[in-house]
């Protein structure tokens, strides 16, 4: 079952890389970043971790891997992180929330919309936290190089 999830998330991320017009030589890497993030997310959910912290951790890892690949291949990090984050986007939750609103089931709609909003926030927070951590590490290395 995990293999099927990994393959599907790989192709979803790589396909979004195509739509996003990522360079051809980065498409497999985009797929791998998305696959890594989704496997982490789905493994945590299967271990009964709530989807919000699972998304936060998976997006943090996606951003860290994207930063690493950006340095190695001298390309912008956004190429890997945007394509890699696609499997985590709560599109079906947003759709279900809107469907519930249209059907006048407001209590369910608000509950689902709040969950989608928290997952979206977890994605953003994971990406930002990774970048902050990266900047702190760069600053510490620079300070250490100047002192030493």
């Amino acid at each position: 079952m995990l293999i099927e999830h990994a393959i599907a998330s790989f192709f979803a991320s790589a396909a979004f890389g195509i739509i996003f017009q990522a360079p051809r030589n980065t498409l497999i890497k985009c797929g791998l970043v998305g696959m890594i993030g989704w496997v982490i997310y789905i493994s945590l959910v299967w271990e009964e971790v709530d989807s919000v912290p699972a998304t936060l951790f998976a997006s943090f890892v996606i951003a860290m891997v994207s930063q690493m690949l950006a340095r190695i291949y001298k390309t912008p990090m956004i190429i890997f992180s945007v394509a890699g984050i696609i499997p985590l986007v709560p599109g079906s939750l947003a759709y279900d929330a809107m469907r519930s609103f249209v059907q006048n089931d407001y209590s369910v709609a608000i509950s689902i919309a709040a969950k989608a909003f928290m997952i979206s926030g977890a994605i953003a927070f994971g990406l930002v936290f990774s970048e902050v951590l990266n900047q702190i590490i760069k600053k510490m290395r620079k300070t250490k190089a100047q002192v030493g």
Side-chain angles (χ1 to χ4, degrees):
M1 189 72 165
L2 187 61
I3 300 290
E4 293 166 353
H5 278 269
I7 292 169
S9 60
F10 174 86
F11 283 115
S13 296
F16 191 80
I18 293 169
I19 293 169
F20 188 57
Q21 296 182 345
R24 284 188 182 190
N25 63 338
T26 64
L27 294 177
I28 291 176
K29 298 164 194 90
C30 289
L32 288 173
V33 171
M35 182 178 71
I36 289 167
W38 183 256
V39 167
I40 289 170
Y41 168 80
I42 202 70
S43 298
L44 289 171
V45 168
W46 286 346
E47 292 296 321
E48 299 181 9
V49 174
D50 185 61
S51 59
V52 174
T55 302
L56 174 67
F57 185 70
S59 66
F60 176 77
V61 171
I62 286 169
M64 294 300 285
V65 172
S66 296
Q67 288 172 3
M68 180 187 70
L69 290 174
R71 272 190 234 112
I72 291 170
Y73 295 105
K74 295 179 181 19
T75 57
M77 175 193 155
I78 197 165
I79 290 172
F80 304 112
S81 61
V82 170
I85 218 76
I86 289 303
L88 298 178
V89 173
S92 64
L93 282 177
Y95 172 81
D96 290 341
M98 292 310 297
R99 189 181 69 216
S100 295
F101 273 119
V102 169
Q103 295 173 339
N104 297 326
D105 194 357
Y106 299 118
S107 61
V108 171
I110 289 172
S111 173
I112 296 171
K115 185 76 165 185
F117 182 73
M118 288 189 301
I119 289 172
S120 299
I123 291 170
F125 189 79
L127 293 172
V128 169
F129 183 64
S130 169
E131 183 58 32
V132 168
L133 188 62
N134 185 43
Q135 293 298 321
I136 290 170
I137 291 169
K138 278 184 180 179
K139 195 171 270 191
M140 288 173 57
R141 286 183 183 160
K142 185 177 178 182
T143 305
K144 189 181 269 188
Q146 288 175 349
V147 172

